[in-house]
Amino acid sequence: MHRVKVRTDMPPGHVRTPSYLRGKVGVTERVLGPFPNPENLAYGHSGTPLPLYRVRFTMAEIWGADAETPNDTLEAEIYAHWLEPADAA
Amino acid sequence: MPHDHADHLSPSGHPYRPDDDHPLSYWQTLEIAVRELLVEKEITTAADIAEQIDAMDARNPTMGAQVVARYWTEPEFATALLADGAKATREMGFDIGPMKLIALPNRPDLHNIVVCTLCSCYPRNLLGLPPDWYKSRAYRSRTVREPRKVLAEFGVTLPESTEVRVHDSTADMRYIVIPNRPARTEGLDQAALAALVTRDSMIGTGIARTP
């Protein structure tokens, strides 16, 4: 498990990183893929193959003090180019 | 009066659904044009298309229920399903195509629930077409924000000691929840066990029935 941070960018176009997770820190649960980058596929390109990480976040990390139950968790699939090491952030 | 349409209500008191007398949308027109061209060029036939629609409609949650019943009763299958869900279910005849499948086993201290906030990703090879509420903005936005409240509305109230884990199906994976096996089911065979597995228990908005 590695601590990772989701990039905070808000680029236009077809992006499969939910905005509510951008800038949030989680741990990698497993690595999948490589899968073709959907941000290229959506526009008719072949799509660079990228690793896909399942990242686990706590509800406290995502929603802060408004979390329904802070220790509950959420997992989502995030493409490698959307992640950076959390310690570098 | 049975044929009195003046009040636009059916005999049961509900309004009649209006006829869809509106022009085709751009996308409907495009779909018809492409379909007719494919048939005209003999790339496919109208019968093939109807057959595919039938195959889609034939898939239903009893397929996923068979997978869960095997998981409960065959330790080797359980291991194979966790290692490669797509392969294990393909071998049962439930081909997921190019997608991958991840099985999410519940435990007494862990409850899994699946949502696709971006669209409506769903394991159709195991559960058939998704219910309308799964695609609704309310389910998609609230499940990541207040999963316990959503679960309570489905009749599932969990103790604080049970962790709720939401899975946002954002990319190439599809998910099936493996509900906890109900108590007092030791003597049941796989068919009887599968009958306890509801669609909602495999989405995570429900739990398996007790016999």
Side-chain angles (χ1 to χ4, degrees):
Chain A
M1 283 199 176
H2 297 283
R3 272 167 58 80
V4 289
K5 183 177 181 180
V6 183
R7 279 169 40 203
T8 49
D9 309 17
M10 290 285 171
H14 181 86
V15 172
R16 299 211 62 90
T17 302
S19 60
Y20 72 92
L21 293 176
R22 296 187 201 172
K24 306 300 180 189
V25 174
V27 294
T28 55
E29 187 260 348
R30 71 178 92 173
V31 58
L32 304 155
F35 293 110
N37 183 354
E39 293 167 25
N40 304 145
L41 282 185
Y43 301 101
H45 302 290
S46 56
T48 314
L50 290 173
L52 178 67
Y53 290 87
R54 297 200 74 230
V55 184
R56 182 178 302 166
F57 306 87
T58 64
M59 289 298 188
E61 168 68 14
I62 301 172
W63 306 116
D66 291 338
E68 184 186 49
T69 303
N71 293 332
D72 282 347
T73 51
L74 180 140
E75 293 183 358
E77 302 148 44
I78 312 283
Y79 279 93
H81 66 299
W82 272 94
L83 297 172
E84 52 196 37
D87 302 326
Chain B
M1 299 290 287
H3 291 284
D4 180 7
H5 292 189
D7 54 6
H8 299 285
L9 293 180
S10 73
S12 59
H14 292 96
Y16 286 104
R17 181 172 163 166
D19 285 327
D20 54 350
D21 289 334
H22 51 77
L24 294 175
S25 72
Y26 171 83
W27 300 108
Q28 285 172 319
T29 308
L30 182 65
E31 183 273 323
I32 293 167
V34 170
R35 174 158 44 86
E36 289 182 347
L37 275 171
L38 289 171
V39 171
E40 207 172 291
K41 291 177 181 290
E42 297 181 351
I43 294 166
T44 188
T45 65
D48 281 343
I49 294 167
E51 202 173 298
Q52 279 302 313
I53 293 171
D54 277 350
M56 263 189 266
D57 284 345
R59 294 185 298 197
N60 65 75
T62 63
M63 295 168 166
Q66 292 173 50
V67 173
V68 173
R70 276 193 79 185
Y71 181 95
W72 285 343
T73 51
E74 296 177 32
E76 275 178 28
F77 176 77
T79 306
L81 184 71
L82 293 180
D84 187 340
K87 182 164 178 273
T89 51
R90 187 175 294 125
E91 284 167 5
M92 290 179 73
F94 309 138
D95 191 0
I96 198 166
M99 295 297 172
K100 305 289 177 191
L101 182 78
I102 291 182
L104 306 165
N106 285 347
R107 303 189 306 251
D109 62 344
L110 177 70
H111 182 91
N112 295 287
I113 177 170
V114 181
V115 62
C116 175
T117 55
L118 297 176
C119 45
S120 58
C121 301
Y122 192 73
R124 294 173 183 225
N125 68 318
L126 297 177
L127 302 185
L129 295 173
D132 281 350
W133 55 257
Y134 185 83
K135 299 181 276 186
S136 71
R137 195 173 282 273
Y139 180 77
R140 286 158 49 214
S141 57
R142 291 184 57 215
T143 301
V144 296
R145 187 71 180 78
E146 45 184 23
R148 287 176 187 263
K149 207 178 270 183
V150 171
L151 281 165
E153 289 170 21
F154 278 95
V156 179
T157 306
L158 297 166
E160 287 272 328
S161 57
T162 298
E163 175 186 329
V164 172
R165 185 171 294 165
V166 179
H167 299 266
D168 190 354
S169 184
T170 44
D172 292 75
M173 313 307 293
R174 297 293 176 268
Y175 296 93
I176 181 173
V177 175
I178 308 289
N180 288 322
R181 181 170 173 167
R184 295 180 299 282
T185 55
E186 294 77 11
L188 298 185
D189 63 14
Q190 279 187 8
L193 286 169
L196 303 175
V197 182
T198 63
R199 176 195 67 195
D200 285 7
S201 74
M202 294 181 280
I203 301 173
T205 51
I207 56 175
R209 288 196 199 98
T210 46

